[in-house]
Amino acid sequence: MNDDLLALKEKIRGFEEFAIFKTKNENTVVKFVTGKVSTVQRLNDEVYYVLLKSNKKYIITTLRGNVEIDNFNNLIKIMDEPKLSPKISDNDREYRFIKLDDEIEKIREDPSNVISLVLSSEYPISGIINIRKVSISLLTSKGFNGNDTRNSIDGYFRAFNGDFSGQWAFASSKYSDSIIKDSVNTACEFASINKKIDIDDGKYDVVLSPLVFGNLMNYLAGMSSGLSIMMGESIFAKYKPGNKIANEKFTFSDVPKEDRPSALEFDQEATFTRNKKIIDHGVYNTPLLNNEIAEIMNLETTGNAGWISPTPWTLDVEQGTISKDSLLSGNVIMFNNNWYTRFQNYVEGNFSTVGRDAVVVYKNGNIEGVAGRLRIADSLNNIIGNIEELSKERYLVKWWDAPLPVLSPYVLIKDVKITKA
Amino acid sequence: MDLENVIKRFDTYNYLEARFHKNDSLSIFLMDGQLLGVTKETYSGYSVRAYDKGILYFASSTTPENLELKKVESNGWEELGEEETTSGKYTVNQRKTFDSLPIDEKIKYLKDIYTRMKQLDIKSKLLNFNMYYVESTEDKRIMFKDGSIVEGNVPRIGIYYSLVMKYMDKTVTVWSDEYGGSGGLEWLDRWNIGEELENKIREVDNVLTKGKSPKEGKTDIVLSSMLAGIMAHESVGHPFEADRVLGREAAQAGMSYLRDLNTKKIGSEAVSVIDDPTLPNSNGFFQIDDEGIKARPKYLIKNGEVTELLQDRFSSPKYNTKSNGSARAMSYNREPIIRMSNTFFQPGNMTFDELLEDIKEGIYFKSYMEWNIDDMRLGERYVGLEAYEIKNGEIGDPLLFPVLEGKTTEFLPSIDAADNEIHFYAGLCGKGDPDQAVPVWLGGPDLRLRNVRVKVM
């Protein structure tokens, strides 16, 4: 197993420790523009990330297409001892995980069927379908030799109905025609709401769709990385595990052991991954850690290396107890989609993001109309602190502004600051 | 030979480009003055792109033999224009090559900046200080079906930082995307990072310790070249990308207000915005684009009127025009798409003091900490970081985080003057799916806007 990595290992001279991490991606991408195909892409990518260590000193090199290791010994000699240094786990196992969905493989070779499904929509669709086969390999000087190979499909669709639009997304490690049809239909349903309404600046109760909440959870996951916390680029920088930081109905996890896109069996330091709650019923449970940052924080690695920078794998927001329709039964603004989330202050979590597609105003549970592009200008702390309810229904989504897959419910949040974009 | 073989393999297509593209980089990361890590990267590989019946087929691989194109039967959205292909080479020379300074000296250069900041006598606490240095070289060789060849070689250097400051219960994040250009280590001599950063930290400290609340309402404002740059890039450059106007980015980064604009007049006489890839030593430098079209400066807006969009081979026929050489790909595994290069407001002929002179009451936005815009590039928001009141034509007290919120179509007509100093800031511009980040400059002079709405955070 991993013969190419073993051959590369032979070229490494003069280092006490090393790790070679390889990603091989074979992706088919289909891009749609207003009900037609714009481009079909076949991207085959192999990247070798090589970690070379002498005592605490290290260098990381990325090689793609040119698998030759330069002589880094002299470079390391003149470098300072770094503040952090990757620690490879004492794991000498040979480990292989393969899970390939046959239907996904067929579509990856010939996407004609999914193209037909998308183009038979009620309204013209713009969007993307990604069909991926990803193979991750790791070889370490401690004897670990592992491979994780799986495939997945994800996509997002924006449906256009004159001045109105709707969007939906999906991600899955299993293929069925229904996931494409359902996503396209949901986007079209949102686009079919064709009455306009004007909304003033103020505080409102809002319902965030899984697309919008998924986007915010991507940021929250990034902030939960131990390195982000150390660098002061995180709302978690002010807290310690055990602190209550959100409504008790909110549980947020990293779940690499689930059968989902972007899941992984081992991290870059050869630690086997595990599911963990980052926030457990409103209480900050753990940051995401690798060996070196766990040591600094007096905690255990969570299996999220990233050498130096711990990284989330695939995200999960626990479901609530009421239906999505019940969330919309009062006076709320439902954000179908958002765009361009920008933080002004990572420690305080202040951000703004602009709603797009169907920003639907409900009064007594009835649709009053679409409010156009409203801006949420609040803080992430308030968003997770003011959660009132979450829906029973959850949707696994991955889209352009939420690159990590998130299984998320619809979420009702009280008193969110809204301005007109 | 490698590219010739690729062209031969796929010569049944009526448009064809084959590309070898290599990106080398060395990055150094520092946290609180200590080395965090060094990475040395090489990304290189091949791509081929072909056009058939309205569909663009694109394939990429680390080896040319693995490139594979498979047609599908479907309605295609793309159109191909008739264009001349330009052969040629472009390069940026380094007066001081990257290897003229050993890596330990580069690390020392960055550490010295941190040491200087730590010694500053300020009331706020400097909680975090992260620095990132990157030197890179981009090499590409592109061959077209007619045998034309384009070769490009652009070395670049950039320094970025982020820091967190705290005074009592107020915390701010300060970051920079200012220092970047093409060339070599001579940029380190040109940039005066230590002094500029000292001044910035002192000013932010001044805002945190003495800043007062701004007044809500309509007022005159002056936007620094930094905010002018972000406005040129985000509110003019992006919405002037023809593919965005046509909807090719509709499900990704969005569309453009130009779709619904029924007039050529978009700004005041004082507003001219240019995109120019040929600026020497710029971050967004190139002389021939990735579709073999000669690059040139483009007036997007001239004296307040829309004059030209950014076009490539596939957008231009939909406008019955020609490509103006705006196609770029980030790396071998990305399709060329319409991109900005160096986008900026044209300077005027006033001095900064003259801009202020007849403002009785207003706000000077010197830097910002948050910015965003909607997907039509119409509604935007800037939260000031270093911001000051203007009183009777002079800079006054610092203000705590005034918010400028409004529409592009309100801001551009409200600009009544620009001063005569131009500054450029480095940035990475994101677009597309699979995502592509390309180096750019954004900039301009200081701009004066009349009677715009300012909010309180």
Side-chain angles (χ1 to χ4, degrees), chain B residues 273-333:
Chain B
V273 179
I274 299 163
D275 183 86
D276 184 0
T278 67
L279 284 181
N281 293 105
S282 60
N283 222 25
F285 177 83
F286 60 93
Q287 287 177 315
I288 305 169
D289 83 349
D290 290 357
E291 291 175 347
I293 307 290
K294 195 167 169 36
R296 60 172 171 84
K298 298 156 296 272
Y299 269 96
L300 308 181
I301 299 174
K302 195 168 190 176
N303 302 330
E305 292 212 337
V306 175
T307 47
E308 189 172 8
L309 303 184
L310 298 170
Q311 301 276 8
D312 68 3
R313 282 180 184 268
F314 301 94
S315 65
S316 51
K318 291 178 188 275
Y319 286 90
N320 201 19
T321 185
K322 293 284 184 192
S323 168
N324 49 25
S326 301
R328 260 205 295 175
M330 173 183 83
S331 53
Y332 77 91
N333 55 356

Side-chain angles (χ1 to χ4, degrees), chain A residues 260-329:
Chain A
R260 295 184 195 169
S262 302
L264 189 62
E265 289 291 301
F266 50 84
D267 74 5
Q268 276 193 330
E269 291 173 341
T271 302
F272 287 117
T273 58
R274 61 180 172 85
N275 295 349
K276 80 285 310 179
K277 289 174 177 170
I278 299 165
I279 296 172
D280 185 0
H281 292 91
V283 175
Y284 173 30
N285 181 50
T286 182
L288 301 179
L289 299 167
N290 52 19
N291 287 325
E292 54 276 21
I293 294 180
E295 195 173 279
I296 287 170
M297 292 186 172
N298 283 321
L299 295 163
E300 292 290 310
T301 178
T302 56
N304 287 89
W307 301 318
I308 299 300
S309 182
T311 180
W313 304 121
T314 186
L315 306 172
D316 183 285
V317 179
E318 207 164 274
Q319 69 197 62
T321 55
I322 66 171
S323 69
K324 169 198 145 192
D325 291 343
S326 301
L327 289 186
L328 303 171
S329 63

Side-chain angles (χ1 to χ4, degrees), chain A residues 45 58 80 156 345 352 373, chain B residues 36 111 171 332 370 375 433:
Chain A
D45 218 10
Y58 75 94
D80 289 14
Y156 52 89
N345 184 322
S352 69
R373 287 173 171 77
Chain B
L36 196 58
K111 287 176 90 166
T171 311
Y332 77 91
E370 180 203 326
D375 63 319
D433 191 353

Side-chain angles (χ1 to χ4, degrees), chain B residues 257-280:
Chain B
Y257 54 77
L258 289 182
R259 193 193 60 175
D260 307 316
L261 196 77
N262 299 316
T263 168
K264 274 195 167 291
K265 189 76 179 160
I266 193 171
S268 73
E269 282 286 317
V271 174
S272 293
V273 179
I274 299 163
D275 183 86
D276 184 0
T278 67
L279 284 181

